[in-house]
């Protein structure tokens, strides 16, 4: 049997198990996609605020760019890595503005958490814990970030234990695998099970000098949240602990100014490594980390996915800055998104759950779990026939027997759209 024969046999096995992936041929039309000749309402994208389909916003951006002199118009390509000639004023300004965004939010957090504040939460906070400034480093994508940050952070020959939530994204898992060496090990704690996490910390060998807890703030497939306040409390009990939080699905969506779940829960100042992406609610491309200045300098010297990648085009950074300037004012869109998402999640819970239905908003990601691969594929086809672009998510992306339709709300949808969708479930 030739290599091609073996590859074809393996692909046929994927098809038999309803796990075969194909790239869909799509055209985009505002809130809709055109797929197989049909115009379908897009409920599969991570464009949570609907900015990616907002043509008027894009026109306003290009009009702003057209006011620049030719010598200042952002280039279409960086043509090299940042350590060569790929750095530019747009990227430098983006990092500065992201840092200012963080600092404004964390200063407000420090005021709220001060002992004299009547609204001060019960989570650990004292003048000695008030937040230090963070630096920002921008990357090409969330995948570049997660496969590069953890290996760089664990490059020092220090006995380190990394403890990651069971349901963290594949990019984090790949980063964990690349981090393993003679002084670094990792374990996974059960999803959002902090009692299990505490036991793993207690079981850590005495010679472990660092413990890095890794979690997403909003989980990409289940749409549920990590309890950041509880993680901060766990961190406060052991000086070896550092927190790494990926806000990919919360940035732009949660928090008073859209800075994510850490802003909403007032835990910004207690998180060591705050990671996020621009490719979802920001409707742009790229990723970032907010961290101490010395960590930024360490990453610049040791993070291989940063060092050896051509930087993103300056025009992309200019667009990200344009969106960033509007992000704190998008509270009405975030509120509408929360109401739509809650309505959909409550409808699914009422239909399939025998337990009490919670009206608490978690995220725009609403999993419609059907379990069986074939049943999930059939349901996705039914939704598409009804005018909705909904996609099946199957193992290994999600655990076995948990295939689902990943329903994603965005702020451009209407209540009528949501009601029509609910009627099709």
């Amino acid at each position: 049997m030739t290599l091609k024969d073996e590859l074809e046999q393996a692909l046929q096995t994927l098809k038999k198990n309803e796990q075969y992936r194909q790239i869909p041929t799509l055209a985009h039309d505002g809130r809709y996609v055109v797929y197989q000749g049909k115009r379908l309402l897009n409920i599969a994208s991570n464009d949570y605020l609907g900015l990616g389909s907002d043509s008027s916003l894009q026109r306003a951006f290009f009009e702003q760019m057209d006011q620049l002199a030719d010598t200042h118009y952002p280039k279409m390509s960086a043509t090299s890595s940042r350590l060569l000639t790929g750095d530019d004023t747009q990227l430098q300004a983006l990092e500065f503005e992201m840092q200012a965004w963080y600092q404004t939010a964390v200063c407000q957090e420090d005021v709220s958490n001060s002992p004299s504040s009547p609204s001060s939460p019960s989570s650990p906070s004292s003048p000695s814990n008030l937040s230090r400034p963070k630096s920002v480093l921008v990357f090409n994508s969330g995948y570049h970030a997660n496969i590069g940050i953890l290996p760089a952070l664990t490059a020092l020959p220090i006995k380190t234990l990394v403890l990651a939530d069971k349901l963290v994204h594949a990019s984090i898992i790949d980063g964990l695998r690349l981090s393993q060496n003679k002084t670094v090990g990792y374990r996974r704690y059960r999803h959002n099970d902090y009692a299990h996490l505490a036991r793993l910390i207690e079981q850590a060998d005495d010679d472990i000098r660092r413990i890095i807890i890794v979690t997403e703030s909003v989980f990409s497939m289940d749409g549920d949240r990590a309890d950041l306040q509880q993680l901060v409390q766990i961190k406060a009990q052991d000086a070896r602990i550092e927190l790494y939080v990926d806000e990919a699905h919360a940035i732009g969506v949660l928090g008073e100014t859209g800075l994510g779940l850490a802003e909403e829960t007032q835990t910004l100042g207690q998180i060591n490594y705050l990671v996020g992406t621009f490719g979802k609610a920001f409707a742009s491309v790229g990723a970032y980390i907010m961290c101490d200045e010395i960590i930024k300098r360490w990453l610049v010297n040791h993070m291989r996915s940063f060092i050896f990648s051509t930087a993103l085009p300056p025009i992309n950074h200019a667009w990200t800055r344009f969106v960033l300037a509007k992000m704190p004012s998008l509270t009405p869109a975030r509120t509408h998104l929360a109401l739509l998402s809650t309505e959909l999640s409550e409808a699914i819970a009422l239909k399939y759950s025998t337990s009490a239905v919670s009206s608490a908003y978690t995220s725009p990601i609403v999993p419609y779990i059907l379990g069986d691969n074939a049943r999930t594929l059939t349901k996705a086809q039914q939704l598409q026939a009804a005018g909705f672009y909904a996609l099946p998510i199957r193992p290994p992306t999600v655990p076995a027997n948990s295939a689902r339709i990943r329903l994603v709300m965005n702020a451009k949808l209407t209540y009528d759209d949501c009601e029509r969708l609910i009627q099709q479930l």
Side-chain angles (χ1 to χ4, degrees):
M1 183 180 290
T2 67
L3 173 61
K4 288 184 178 179
D5 291 334
E6 291 190 35
L7 291 172
E8 186 59 41
Q9 187 178 70
L11 289 171
Q12 291 301 321
T13 299
L14 288 176
K15 289 182 179 180
K16 181 180 178 181
N17 294 334
E18 307 285 4
Q19 292 178 309
Y20 185 71
R21 296 182 173 101
Q22 298 181 84
I23 299 174
T25 302
L26 301 174
H28 292 265
D29 180 12
R31 304 188 307 144
Y32 298 85
V33 296
V34 179
Y35 177 60
Q36 296 181 345
K38 298 180 64 177
R39 189 167 179 263
L40 307 174
L41 188 63
N42 188 353
I43 56 169
S45 168
N46 294 324
D47 184 17
Y48 300 125
L49 297 176
L51 304 182
S53 63
D54 191 334
S55 57
S56 63
L57 186 69
Q58 294 164 23
R59 281 195 300 271
F61 167 70
F62 284 113
E63 288 171 0
Q64 180 174 301
M65 292 297 101
D66 287 342
Q67 295 174 12
L68 299 174
D70 289 347
T71 53
H72 291 91
Y73 202 96
K75 295 190 300 180
M76 297 297 124
S77 174
T79 68
S80 69
S81 73
R82 289 187 70 181
L83 294 178
L84 296 177
T85 63
D87 203 22
D88 73 280
T89 56
Q90 291 290 339
L91 182 44
Q92 295 160 18
L94 174 60
E95 289 180 339
F96 176 81
E97 289 159 6
M98 288 291 292
Q99 183 179 2
W101 188 24
Y102 172 91
Q103 204 58 42
T104 298
V106 84
C107 286
Q108 180 59 47
E109 176 180 302
D110 285 343
V111 170
S112 299
N113 286 349
S114 65
S116 60
S117 172
S119 60
S120 178
S122 58
S123 57
S125 181
S126 67
S128 62
N129 285 333
L130 294 185
S131 311
R132 292 174 293 177
K134 286 282 196 291
S135 292
V136 174
L137 187 62
V138 167
F139 312 113
N140 285 17
S141 71
Y143 196 87
H144 280 85
N146 284 326
I147 66 167
I149 295 171
L150 284 167
L153 289 178
T154 55
L156 279 174
I158 294 174
K159 287 282 284 184
T160 302
L161 174 63
V162 184
L163 299 174
D165 189 287
K166 183 68 175 176
L167 296 187
V168 292
H169 191 263
S171 60
I172 296 177
I173 295 171
D174 290 349
L176 291 171
R177 290 170 175 168
L178 290 170
S179 301
Q180 288 189 104
N181 57 50
K182 291 182 180 179
T183 60
V184 180
Y186 80 88
R187 298 186 68 179
R188 311 274 290 280
Y189 60 91
R190 288 188 292 271
H191 177 51
N192 279 347
D193 186 339
Y194 302 119
H196 185 215
L197 172 61
R199 287 197 296 274
L200 294 178
I201 294 170
E202 290 173 2
Q203 294 167 7
D205 294 338
D206 292 337
D207 61 347
I208 296 292
R209 290 177 56 189
R210 298 174 73 196
I211 299 174
I212 305 175
I213 298 174
V214 182
T215 185
E216 296 179 52
S217 60
V218 171
F219 289 86
S220 60
M221 290 297 120
D222 288 78
D224 56 342
R225 304 180 179 193
D227 188 336
L228 296 186
Q229 290 184 334
Q230 188 164 354
L231 286 171
V232 164
Q233 290 175 355
I234 291 172
K235 176 193 173 191
Q237 295 168 10
D238 193 320
R240 298 174 297 174
I241 295 176
E242 303 163 17
L243 288 183
Y244 181 116
V245 177
D246 188 338
E247 293 259 39
H249 295 274
I251 188 70
V253 174
L254 301 176
E256 183 177 349
T257 67
L259 192 48
L261 184 60
E263 180 185 27
E264 182 171 305
T265 56
Q266 297 192 345
T267 53
L268 281 168
Q270 305 300 326
I271 295 170
N272 302 83
Y273 316 110
L274 195 66
V275 179
T277 60
F278 299 126
K280 297 174 174 63
F282 263 76
S284 187
V285 64
Y288 64 86
I289 184 173
M290 295 172 170
C291 59
D292 289 343
E293 170 64 21
I294 194 168
I295 298 297
K296 176 179 177 176
R297 291 191 282 122
W298 180 263
L299 294 175
V300 167
N301 282 274
H302 289 276
M303 184 175 164
R304 294 175 64 85
S305 60
F306 172 84
I307 296 169
F308 300 109
S309 290
T310 296
L312 290 175
I315 191 69
N316 292 118
H317 297 309
W319 166 251
T320 304
R321 292 180 61 207
F322 181 79
V323 174
L324 173 59
K326 299 182 181 305
M327 193 58 68
S329 67
L330 295 176
T331 299
R334 285 188 281 272
T335 300
H336 177 63
L337 177 62
L339 293 172
L340 285 177
S341 304
T342 303
E343 182 175 342
L344 178 61
S345 60
E346 286 179 353
I348 291 176
L350 282 169
K351 189 171 183 180
Y352 292 99
S353 176
T354 56
S355 58
V357 176
S358 172
S359 60
Y361 171 55
T362 55
S363 78
I365 303 165
V366 184
Y368 180 35
I369 299 175
L370 298 167
D372 178 72
N373 286 355
R375 183 182 173 205
T376 303
L377 281 169
T378 298
K379 189 62 183 180
Q381 292 164 0
Q382 290 173 354
L383 288 170
Q384 290 173 15
F388 297 96
Y389 189 65
L391 296 177
I393 307 294
R394 295 155 287 171
T397 303
V398 293
N401 303 314
S402 72
R404 83 270 315 262
I405 310 291
R406 183 177 179 266
L407 303 172
V408 187
M409 297 290 94
N410 72 73
K412 298 298 184 183
L413 297 175
T414 67
Y415 290 108
D416 286 344
D417 294 329
C418 188
E419 187 57 38
R420 286 194 300 110
L421 173 60
I422 290 170
Q423 290 173 2
Q424 297 297 325
L425 300 178

